Amino acid sequence: MTTGFMDLALEEALSAAERGEVPIGAVIVRKGKVIARAGNRTIELNDPSAHAEILAIRQACSTLENQRLTDCDLYVTLEPCTMCAGAISFARIRRLYFGAADEKGGAVDNGVQFFKQASCHHQPDCYSGMAESSSSAMLKEFFKERR
């Protein structure tokens, strides 16, 4: 069930927030089964590439022993950035579902609109606005507490 997978991504986002990370969570599903889930760990790992999507993609590729995730779907709580959109494309993820739009850093519906570029090798089917209010509220609360 689509909503259930986004709920799992929200759980990962909440765990990230509890670790002091920006609350973004991602889940990768293949044939109705979760094969990877992650939350942001950029601070913990001292790694600017340790976004939830990247970590989940790495985990899924390791699980499947394949660099391609052609029959997999990604659920993420925030619109992916350019780096993550690139990884999604190179991994050949079939479908992308995301929660909150990111007008400043997003690269799917906002910003560079990565998947619409001629240089993009693979464009997943994209669906935005899933659990948007929950995803957005979690991010707003996180940043409100830090200001």
Side-chain angles (χ1 to χ4, degrees):
M1 181 174 161
T2 301
T3 305
F5 296 134
M6 188 56 82
D7 289 342
L8 294 176
L10 285 164
E11 287 177 16
E12 289 296 328
L14 182 58
S15 293
E18 290 169 353
R19 293 189 304 271
E21 302 276 0
V22 175
I24 300 169
V27 172
I28 296 180
V29 176
R30 179 176 183 248
K31 297 180 181 176
K33 181 181 174 194
V34 174
I35 61 166
R37 53 189 290 174
N40 272 8
R41 292 187 181 274
T42 59
I43 297 167
E44 177 185 338
L45 299 176
N46 296 310
D47 180 356
S49 71
H51 288 196
E53 301 96 317
I54 300 293
L55 296 174
I57 287 169
R58 288 176 182 160
Q59 186 182 74
C61 288
S62 178
T63 297
L64 298 178
E65 298 180 340
N66 194 327
Q67 67 173 333
R68 302 284 189 235
L69 302 174
T70 55
D71 57 351
C72 296
D73 301 332
L74 171 63
Y75 295 79
V76 63
T77 58
L78 183 66
E79 177 181 357
C81 69
T82 305
M83 174 182 68
C84 292
I88 291 164
S89 177
F90 281 110
R92 306 296 196 265
I93 288 176
R94 176 178 56 182
R95 293 185 198 105
L96 167 66
Y97 299 91
F98 66 90
D102 186 352
E103 293 177 12
K104 184 176 179 183
V108 179
D109 290 341
N110 291 288
V112 300
Q113 298 181 347
F114 186 85
F115 300 128
K116 293 180 182 175
Q117 302 305 312
S119 59
C120 180
H121 298 289
H122 166 77
Q123 177 183 359
D125 295 331
C126 297
Y127 305 92
S128 61
M130 293 196 59
E132 183 174 12
S133 59
S134 299
S135 298
S136 181
M138 190 180 304
L139 285 159
K140 287 177 183 173
E141 183 63 27
F142 177 82
F143 286 112
K144 179 181 169 187
E145 291 174 4
R146 276 145 185 77
R147 289 189 177 116

